[in-house]
Amino acid sequence: INAEYMGSSGINAEYMGSSGINAEYMGLNRNDMKIIGEIFEANKKLVKLNLSHNFIQWRDAEAISKALRVNTTLKELDLSYNEIKSEGAKILTEAFKVNNTLTKLGLAGNGIDADDIKTVNLMLERNKETEDEI
């Protein structure tokens, strides 16, 4: 599903059964991020979510992290070219303590320091190994 065609904000119940959502360049705000977090917490088919090129800030990472803790289907999440920063990356890595399904996470262009990127990559690598074992 391409969010461009989904109502005024691009966020609505149509997403509940989708396996892929493209919401790049949507200018998403904090309220949108809460809704997206709820959608991908509840969506049992979502495999791919593209939220790149928005204005997602590090504070918004909490909604994403919360959803990652309970979503067991999402494998690819693109958060590239937002404003996640290292603070948001740290919040996201907390979700990896329980999430073992996400294997691709795009974070380019977010101003995240090398150590935090290394931590994220280690968590993703662990998830890939877990996926290979299954």
Side-chain angles (χ1 to χ4, degrees):
I1 285 181
N2 187 328
E4 176 181 1
Y5 303 106
M6 306 301 296
S8 61
S9 71
I11 310 302
N12 67 30
E14 288 288 325
Y15 287 123
M16 289 312 226
S18 295
S19 64
I21 297 173
N22 180 11
E24 66 181 330
Y25 293 105
M26 293 285 300
L28 300 173
N29 62 35
R30 184 152 294 129
N31 286 335
D32 293 330
M33 289 312 302
K34 288 178 186 173
I35 293 167
I36 285 174
E38 291 169 8
I39 287 170
F40 93 84
E41 263 185 72
N43 184 314
K44 303 301 181 206
K45 296 180 182 178
L46 188 63
V47 176
K48 220 180 223 190
L49 178 58
N50 182 352
L51 299 174
S52 66
H53 299 274
N54 281 288
F55 300 104
I56 300 169
Q57 297 181 1
W58 70 267
R59 290 176 194 93
D60 303 322
E62 186 58 48
I64 297 167
S65 182
K66 182 180 174 212
L68 283 172
R69 288 182 185 108
V70 297
N71 182 290
T72 58
T73 59
L74 192 70
K75 294 184 180 291
E76 297 180 29
L77 176 60
D78 190 352
L79 295 170
S80 301
Y81 302 99
N82 283 289
E83 298 172 17
I84 302 289
K85 309 287 184 211
S86 285
E87 294 89 344
K90 289 173 184 162
I91 292 168
L92 291 172
T93 57
E94 287 299 309
F96 285 118
K97 292 178 180 175
V98 293
N99 178 296
N100 63 0
T101 56
L102 191 71
T103 56
K104 289 184 182 178
L105 177 61
L107 289 172
N110 273 291
I112 300 170
D113 71 40
D115 288 339
D116 291 324
I117 290 291
K118 187 184 283 187
T119 301
V120 168
N121 284 335
L122 286 171
M123 297 294 204
L124 290 171
E125 199 57 42
R126 184 206 67 192
N127 285 358
K128 287 178 188 170
E129 290 171 7
T130 301
E131 180 181 58
D132 290 342
E133 293 172 4
I134 296 175

